[in-house]
Amino acid sequence: MEGSSLRHGQPILVLLVILQFITYIALSSTDAPFHSQRNIEYIKSSCSSTTYPRLCYRSLSVYASKINTSPRLLAHTALNVTLKASKSTSRLMAKISRIHGLRPRVAAAMADCVEVIGDSVDELQQSIGELGHIRSSNFALTISDIQTWVSAALTDEDTCMDGFSGKSMNGYAKRMVRKRIIKIAHLTSNALALINNYASTQSTLP
């Protein structure tokens, strides 16, 4: 008799559990999209002030939940995305530079590119490290250093492209370098703009 009452009670218990689960899902689904959409809109709005807003949004929107609406995290993420692309480009150029049969001028330009993009990677890493430890007490000095390093990284990328100027440099190496360097230069430019935005938000605080 007692076992029979338990069996009859089981469907009710299961139903209560299902209703609680549905309620939880419903609450989560109404809350999460709101926050997610707010974060996405923040990134889109911030990217609109960069030189390459589409690239900015495309490269950063996937990190919306991590960035939230923090200008520091936005700038930090932009630097990390740029660093990852720069490292990938540096590895590719090192491989191309070892190809046999490159014309002397192309080989020299590739060697220069490998060196300056290596410098760019170092400068981006320094910037990321400093931004991760920035404090209100040393904000002005630290953000100035970060801006200087990221600007230097952008200059290094331009220097790499300058080495391939002229029709005599046309060919596979130039096409591959140009494609990659343009992308990381645009990412670097966007990161610098977001760093400048972050700096301006702090300078307006009392």
Side-chain angles (χ1 to χ4, degrees), residues 47-94:
C47 283
S48 66
S49 64
T50 65
T51 309
Y52 309 99
R54 288 185 181 180
L55 176 63
C56 176
Y57 177 75
R58 192 166 65 245
S59 62
L60 296 175
S61 58
V62 292
Y63 303 102
S65 60
K66 174 186 174 182
I67 293 167
N68 203 345
T69 56
S70 165
R72 186 184 69 81
L73 289 178
L74 182 62
H76 198 267
T77 305
L79 282 174
N80 273 298
V81 167
T82 305
L83 176 62
K84 183 178 178 181
S86 298
K87 284 182 173 180
S88 175
T89 297
S90 181
R91 287 192 297 268
L92 174 68
M93 289 192 305

Side-chain angles (χ1 to χ4, degrees), residues 83-137:
L83 176 62
K84 183 178 178 181
S86 298
K87 284 182 173 180
S88 175
T89 297
S90 181
R91 287 192 297 268
L92 174 68
M93 289 192 305
K95 288 180 181 178
I96 295 175
S97 69
R98 292 192 291 268
I99 294 175
H100 294 294
L102 289 176
R103 295 194 302 272
R105 283 190 61 192
V106 174
M110 282 303 309
D112 289 343
C113 267
V114 170
E115 182 178 350
V116 296
I117 297 304
D119 291 342
S120 177
V121 166
D122 290 342
E123 288 149 358
L124 290 169
Q125 286 176 325
Q126 285 180 297
S127 301
I128 290 168
E130 287 298 300
L131 191 57
H133 298 97
I134 199 166
R135 298 289 182 270
S136 56
S137 58

Side-chain angles (χ1 to χ4, degrees), residues 3-73:
S4 175
S5 64
L6 281 173
R7 284 195 300 273
H8 286 303
Q10 281 177 346
I12 297 174
L13 181 62
V14 171
L15 182 61
L16 286 172
V17 170
I18 291 172
L19 285 173
Q20 285 180 333
F21 180 72
I22 291 172
T23 303
Y24 170 77
I25 292 297
L27 288 172
S28 299
S29 63
T30 54
D31 189 47
F34 170 75
H35 290 293
S36 177
Q37 187 60 33
R38 182 186 64 181
N39 299 348
I40 288 289
E41 288 300 324
Y42 170 72
I43 292 172
K44 186 180 291 185
S45 173
S46 299
C47 283
S48 66
S49 64
T50 65
T51 309
Y52 309 99
R54 288 185 181 180
L55 176 63
C56 176
Y57 177 75
R58 192 166 65 245
S59 62
L60 296 175
S61 58
V62 292
Y63 303 102
S65 60
K66 174 186 174 182
I67 293 167
N68 203 345
T69 56
S70 165
R72 186 184 69 81
L73 289 178

Side-chain angles (χ1 to χ4, degrees), residues 116-194:
V116 296
I117 297 304
D119 291 342
S120 177
V121 166
D122 290 342
E123 288 149 358
L124 290 169
Q125 286 176 325
Q126 285 180 297
S127 301
I128 290 168
E130 287 298 300
L131 191 57
H133 298 97
I134 199 166
R135 298 289 182 270
S136 56
S137 58
N138 65 349
F139 184 86
L141 180 61
T142 305
I143 203 72
S144 177
D145 287 341
I146 292 169
Q147 289 166 324
T148 299
W149 285 325
V150 178
S151 296
L154 191 56
T155 300
D156 288 333
E157 292 149 11
D158 289 339
T159 300
C160 173
M161 275 309 306
D162 288 343
F164 281 89
S165 60
K167 291 183 180 180
S168 63
M169 302 293 282
N170 288 351
Y172 169 78
K174 180 177 179 177
R175 287 195 303 272
M176 292 303 295
V177 169
R178 180 176 175 79
K179 179 181 177 182
R180 295 300 187 96
I181 294 298
I182 285 175
K183 181 178 180 180
I184 62 171
H186 289 182
L187 287 171
T188 306
S189 172
N190 285 345
L192 183 57
L194 295 174

